[in-house]
Amino acid sequence: MQHISKLFKKYNFRDKPWLIIGKGPTFSDIKKQDISKYHTFALNHVVKEFDEVDIAHLIDFNVFEVCQDDIYNKAKYLCLPINPHFNNKPSHKTLENLIKENKILKKLSKEKRLFWYNHLQGKRLLSLSN
């Protein structure tokens, strides 16, 4: 796993604008658009609705458990907070722990497709060596 800043330094995402896709009120309109004109940033379960997205993002690990096969097969990259939530509540469990417990997350990490960020202001609950 790598810090999210490495994702944007390593890969040039400047050739197209970004489209952030969530399940909000305009979601039904997205299928009418040519999304190939954009880099796609899919929030939560949205990855299940597309053949491919550039980045899948979620905060709650329960979403990952439901969508992990779609994330692995359809998302080029996955971004998670270093301490994902569980059932919509903050947790002290770290991605480092979860990688040891989840084979898909471990594969994403080994393939350098897993990126993290710290969403807990002023706290760093994991010492990172990579």
Side-chain angles (χ1 to χ4, degrees):
M1 83 181 144
Q2 305 167 78
H3 189 268
I4 195 169
S5 62
K6 290 186 179 182
L7 175 62
F8 292 98
K9 286 179 184 170
K10 187 174 182 179
Y11 301 100
N12 180 9
F13 290 114
R14 296 175 193 241
D15 58 330
K16 299 189 262 188
W18 280 94
L19 181 63
I20 300 172
I21 310 167
K23 283 272 190 135
T26 60
F27 180 74
S28 59
D29 295 335
I30 199 72
K31 295 287 186 167
K32 300 172 192 169
Q33 305 298 317
D34 177 8
I35 65 167
S36 68
K37 297 178 183 179
Y38 302 95
H39 288 292
T40 50
F41 192 92
L43 304 175
N44 297 320
H45 300 86
V46 166
V47 68
K48 294 175 98 36
E49 305 294 326
F50 293 92
D51 294 333
E52 182 179 78
V53 298
D54 290 301
I55 298 174
H57 173 270
L58 49 102
I59 292 176
D60 198 295
F61 196 74
N62 302 102
V63 175
F64 178 79
E65 292 172 321
V66 170
C67 300
Q68 62 186 330
D69 290 330
D70 286 304
I71 289 169
Y72 185 80
N73 293 316
K74 298 178 178 184
K76 292 178 188 172
Y77 309 104
L78 171 63
C79 293
L80 287 164
I82 196 71
N83 299 97
H85 289 193
F86 284 82
N87 299 314
N88 299 312
K89 294 181 181 149
S91 168
H92 289 287
K93 201 157 201 177
T94 65
L95 278 181
E96 189 173 70
N97 301 125
L98 294 167
I99 287 170
K100 293 174 186 171
E101 299 170 7
N102 183 287
K103 66 179 183 178
I104 299 290
L105 202 60
K106 182 184 269 187
K107 284 173 67 173
L108 287 165
S109 182
K110 283 185 178 183
E111 293 171 9
K112 301 198 181 300
R113 295 171 53 200
L114 176 61
F115 293 84
W116 67 272
Y117 62 93
N118 184 6
H119 75 301
L120 299 173
Q121 227 175 14
K123 295 181 182 178
R124 192 170 190 174
L125 299 177
L126 175 68
S127 78
L128 297 168
S129 56
N130 18 350

